[in-house]
Amino acid sequence: MAPAQRCPLCRQTFFCGRGHVYSRKHQRQLKEALERLLPQVEAARKAIRAAQVERYVPEHERCCWCVCCGCEVREHLSHGNLTVLYGGLLEHLASPEHKKATNKFWWENKAEVQMKEKFLVTPQDYVRFKKSMVKGLDSYEEKEDEVIKEMAAQIREVEQSRQEVVRSVLEPQAVPDPEEGSSAPRSWKGMNSQVASSSQQPSNLDLPAAPELDWMEIGPSLTFIGHQDIPGVGNIHSGATPPWMIQDEYIGGNQEIGPSYEEFLKEKEKQKLKKLPPDRVGANFDHSSRTSAGWLPSFGRVWNNGRRWQSRHQFKTEAAAMKQSHTEKS
Amino acid sequence: MSFLLPKLTSKKEVDQAIKSTAEKVLVLRFGRDEDPVCLQLDDILSKTSSDLSKMAAIYLVDVDQTPVYTQYFDISYIPSTIFFFNGQHMKVDYGSPDHTKFVGSFKTKQDFLDLIEVIYRGAMRGKLIVQSPIDPKNIPKYDLLYQDI
């Protein structure tokens, strides 16, 4: 028996010496591991030609496990708030240590030789990638600039319309015509959402007067129930005690909250009852029901024909019959 | 011995006992206190009543004082012991002709204890009739008379 060796790919100890590497299980593990790594490498390869630059997102912190070197590699390169997709992985794949490790890995685990080339990146490829990365960075900057310009244009538009509204409302404010009075605040309300964020200095001056008129005239009529204003007693706005907190006049005995001792014991009994099997005999028997003087319990009689619950009925008829014969005799 | 066990003297009291015993086997001994076999039975009942306090409630009923039940339960031999659980009558197959009651006295205390346990377990499972664990040799023999003969 060979000495115990640990295979990191299968994550197992084996005693077969050099034979383990040729076993089916090991080859399967090897295939799976390479299959896991391959898609990442392919995606990285595509990125060589067209490097993508994106805004930084925490997801770009993800690391990839390189089987050959047995180490974790940062997938994407990030600097500041920009990320180059697959930058880290490519850098690792092009490095000489990775090349050495990959060779070693292939030789030791007896993997297919053709596959090896796919997992390596030549230095020329890496140089190409760097060039495309620079291009990508430039285009990203351009895009960002465009977006900023668009946003600035939008803000300018909004500012313009706001100024116009202010001017139009200030002019007819002296003669509040209902129609004009209503149309201006209506459009003012429409602008309100955009205007709300910016400061309100000149707009607050005279506007409250016009909308108030609007609210008092339009709308369904409500029933008026009177001013709820009693001078002596406070209300919610003045911070008085709420009615439900005021102690009642009649306190009566003790003011304990919660069940009394007997109720507590009854609750305990009920808990015990719940634990009993639900299909026991007489589970739904009402123990506290009031019965008449002529009540008879459920009894399966000796000399009766029919079901058990009919025996009571039979007894009553027999008793009546016997009584009748008795009174006949006497 | 019979003064150690509670007695029921009227139909109303018997009704009360049947209705109020909850989740325990109700044992009603129908007989007369002076009868010798009844005395034997009462002895066994009183000696075991404390051990069975959580499973069973035992009462003595005089047959002369409750004629309604004497007829309803068809008691022709005394002592007769009838078992209830939660207001429902429990039948037991002793190997004797009458399953509705136990006629006579038990041979040993252990017989009675076993019988009560079997009835309790059967009732908890929802069975209205159970098999008696007592050896048929120890069951008193009697002839069941048809009522009109």
Side-chain angles (χ1 to χ4, degrees):
Chain A
M1 279 260 281
Q5 280 174 298
R6 188 169 164 80
C7 170
L9 206 61
C10 311
R11 287 186 263 193
Q12 266 191 337
T13 316
F14 60 91
F15 300 91
C16 320
R18 290 213 337 261
H20 169 79
V21 186
Y22 300 97
S23 69
R24 242 184 318 168
K25 187 195 257 192
H26 180 84
Q27 290 295 329
R28 199 176 59 216
Q29 290 286 344
L30 186 66
K31 204 160 65 127
E32 275 169 19
L34 290 177
E35 259 167 30
R36 274 194 295 248
L37 188 55
L38 195 60
Q40 312 275 25
V41 177
E42 292 293 312
R45 223 177 257 284
K46 282 207 195 89
I48 291 175
R49 231 141 291 167
Q52 284 168 299
V53 180
E54 302 229 331
R55 178 160 292 165
Y56 177 75
V57 147
E59 214 226 30
H60 290 160
E61 292 281 336
R62 222 172 37 182
C63 295
C64 175
W65 172 261
C66 175
V67 191
C68 321
C69 314
C71 62
E72 277 206 358
V73 177
R74 192 44 79 79
E75 263 199 272
H76 314 294
L77 267 180
S78 42
H79 184 76
N81 56 349
L82 301 172
T83 323
V84 181
L85 291 183
Y86 293 113
L89 193 58
L90 273 174
E91 201 181 321
H92 172 78
L93 288 174
S95 63
E97 309 96 38
H98 176 75
K99 189 156 186 243
K100 272 195 219 154
T102 313
N103 287 334
K104 187 158 169 266
F105 182 80
W106 245 255
W107 178 249
E108 275 187 2
N109 293 297
K110 302 285 181 265
E112 275 179 73
V113 187
Q114 294 96 339
M115 299 281 281
K116 189 161 66 158
E117 282 310 308
K118 292 199 190 155
F119 288 87
L120 288 175
V121 168
T122 55
Q124 295 98 332
D125 282 335
Y126 190 57
V127 165
R128 244 197 297 170
F129 170 70
K130 278 206 193 141
K131 282 194 202 141
S132 66
M133 185 168 78
V134 169
K135 268 191 241 161
L137 276 166
D138 287 332
S139 61
Y140 180 75
E141 273 182 41
E142 277 172 34
K143 258 196 277 173
E144 287 281 298
D145 282 333
E146 265 186 55
V147 171
I148 288 171
K149 276 192 200 131
E150 252 179 73
M151 281 178 54
Q154 223 184 357
I155 292 173
R156 246 175 262 140
E157 253 185 63
V158 166
E159 181 73 37
Q160 280 275 345
S161 49
R162 191 174 66 88
Q163 297 277 8
E164 271 175 45
V165 166
V166 166
R167 260 177 257 136
S168 66
V169 170
L170 278 174
E171 276 150 34
Q173 200 258 326
V175 186
D177 204 29
E179 285 165 279
E180 242 181 272
S182 58
S183 68
R186 218 178 278 143
S187 54
W188 179 76
K189 276 179 205 156
M191 290 294 184
N192 214 0
S193 49
Q194 293 168 343
V195 161
S197 50
S198 40
S199 58
Q200 306 279 341
Q201 254 208 28
S203 53
N204 280 343
L205 288 173
D206 308 294
L207 285 176
E212 218 177 15
L213 296 162
D214 182 27
W215 293 335
M216 291 214 291
E217 285 172 32
I218 306 175
S221 53
L222 297 169
T223 321
F224 183 65
I225 61 169
H227 296 281
Q228 303 294 337
D229 188 23
I230 304 166
V233 180
N235 64 5
I236 189 167
H237 302 290
S238 68
T241 49
W244 57 86
M245 293 293 289
I246 296 170
Q247 293 286 10
D248 286 330
E249 312 273 304
Y250 173 63
I251 298 171
N254 46 357
Q255 277 200 26
E256 285 171 17
I257 308 169
S260 66
Y261 188 60
E262 296 95 20
E263 283 162 36
F264 174 65
L265 288 175
K266 270 191 217 145
E267 277 304 310
K268 268 197 166 174
E269 289 295 322
K270 273 190 216 159
Q271 293 288 341
K272 270 194 218 160
L273 269 182
K274 270 190 222 165
K275 287 191 194 156
L276 292 173
D279 53 349
R280 66 185 184 279
V281 169
N284 48 358
F285 181 67
D286 184 12
H287 293 279
S288 51
S289 64
R290 300 201 183 280
T291 54
S292 64
W295 176 79
L296 293 167
S298 153
F299 180 74
R301 297 184 65 211
V302 187
W303 304 105
N304 66 332
N305 44 357
R307 309 283 301 276
R308 196 195 271 223
W309 50 268
Q310 286 172 350
S311 55
R312 217 183 328 204
H313 183 73
Q314 200 179 354
F315 176 73
K316 285 190 186 151
T317 44
E318 278 177 14
M322 236 175 35
K323 234 186 177 181
Q324 241 191 0
S325 60
H326 267 265
T327 51
E328 272 181 22
K329 280 185 192 165
S330 58
Chain B
M1 275 85 59
S2 59
F3 47 77
L4 296 168
L5 293 165
K7 292 214 186 79
L8 305 173
T9 49
S10 68
K11 176 184 187 292
K12 200 162 155 213
E13 281 182 29
V14 176
D15 286 353
Q16 186 62 32
I18 293 174
K19 281 189 293 181
S20 60
T21 317
E23 322 305 337
K24 284 208 280 194
V25 181
L26 175 65
V27 182
L28 293 179
R29 183 283 268 149
F30 284 83
R32 293 195 189 109
D33 287 342
E34 321 78 46
D35 184 65
V37 188
C38 281
L39 283 172
Q40 270 184 318
L41 178 61
D42 291 351
D43 183 38
I44 289 180
L45 291 179
S46 58
K47 284 187 182 157
T48 56
S49 63
S50 62
D51 292 330
L52 294 171
S53 56
K54 290 239 160 76
M55 268 204 295
I58 304 176
Y59 293 92
L60 307 179
V61 187
D62 195 314
V63 292
D64 303 316
Q65 287 173 333
T66 54
V68 182
Y69 280 134
T70 312
Q71 280 164 18
Y72 184 51
F73 297 146
D74 210 354
I75 296 169
S76 14
Y77 290 100
I78 54 168
S80 288
T81 316
I82 302 188
F83 303 99
F84 285 86
F85 189 85
N86 270 348
Q88 178 69 261
H89 172 231
M90 299 289 296
K91 288 197 190 182
V92 184
D93 180 6
Y94 312 96
S96 65
D98 188 356
H99 294 180
T100 62
K101 53 179 97 61
F102 183 83
V103 175
S105 170
F106 299 96
K107 188 133 181 245
T108 58
K109 280 195 295 179
Q110 193 54 46
D111 281 345
F112 180 60
L113 290 167
D114 292 340
L115 180 63
I116 291 291
E117 177 156 0
V118 164
I119 292 176
Y120 185 80
R121 279 179 195 269
M124 277 296 155
R125 293 221 188 91
K127 311 266 179 223
L128 291 172
I129 180 161
V130 294
Q131 272 282 353
S132 149
I134 305 175
D135 198 355
K137 289 200 301 270
N138 297 345
I139 308 268
K141 296 264 176 298
Y142 57 93
D143 286 322
L144 195 61
L145 313 167
Y146 189 55
Q147 56 192 9
D148 280 348
I149 295 171

